[in-house]
Amino acid sequence: MIRLLLISLFSLLLGVFSVSADGKKGKTREQVFKEIQEFKMNYLAKEMDLKEDQRQKFFDLYEEMTRKRKECMKNARQLERRLKKLENPTEADYQAATEAMTKARAEDASIEKAYSEKFSTFLTQKQIFKMKEGEEAFRKKMEEMRRKHHKEKKEKK
């Protein structure tokens, strides 16, 4: 039952995402990201079987963690995009991008560890495990949807 609901909601999100990506209907990237993030948090809450008194604490802390993780990866992604735009990147360009990615991943792991400790003050270890499992499942589904969307876009051309 939950899987059917999840598939339906993913289909809805794909529609929202594709409309936004085309620049039609007025939704900004930030609005789409916020909708996806809200859906993700609700999905995780269901997967983790959160009690009512845990939900708001979880949502607040998870949103805070997500902001910090996104911020730490920002510089590495910018360098990576810049590198891909260069016609003839130098060894120094590659080195800077590689170092930035390595640093960002280490910082991301540190953030994840710190927040796991914070989550453990009001979640069980089983719930934390289910959260990490749910995040991975969500990421895979989003990647699958992205590939499907790009494939359909290419077929229309």
Side-chain angles (χ1 to χ4, degrees), residues 40 134-144 146:
K40 179 181 180 181
E135 286 175 320
E136 184 63 18
F138 191 87
R139 186 196 61 75
K140 284 180 181 178
K141 189 65 176 173
M142 291 300 289
E143 185 62 34
E144 181 184 310
R146 193 174 294 124

Side-chain angles (χ1 to χ4, degrees), residues 66-151:
T66 301
R67 271 195 317 273
K68 286 185 179 184
R69 291 177 80 183
K70 183 179 177 184
E71 188 60 37
C72 89
M73 297 302 262
K74 186 177 182 179
N75 183 45
R77 281 193 300 271
Q78 287 174 341
L79 281 173
E80 189 179 358
R81 278 193 295 272
R82 223 177 289 141
L83 181 71
K84 288 179 179 180
K85 289 180 181 180
L86 293 175
E87 279 189 36
N88 295 311
T90 66
E91 282 296 307
D93 293 329
Y94 283 114
Q95 182 179 2
T98 301
E99 287 174 1
M101 287 188 298
T102 301
K103 180 182 175 193
R105 287 185 184 129
E107 189 178 339
D108 185 60
S110 176
I111 291 168
E112 185 176 349
K113 183 178 186 216
Y115 277 86
S116 286
E117 291 173 14
K118 291 179 182 185
F119 284 123
S120 70
T121 63
F122 64 94
L123 297 176
T124 66
Q125 290 304 307
K126 180 179 179 179
Q127 288 173 317
I128 293 170
F129 179 82
K130 290 286 191 182
M131 174 183 68
K132 292 176 187 291
E133 197 175 56
E135 286 175 320
E136 184 63 18
F138 191 87
R139 186 196 61 75
K140 284 180 181 178
K141 189 65 176 173
M142 291 300 289
E143 185 62 34
E144 181 184 310
M145 288 170 50
R146 193 174 294 124
R147 276 194 302 270
K148 182 180 176 184
H149 175 70
H150 288 298
K151 183 180 175 184

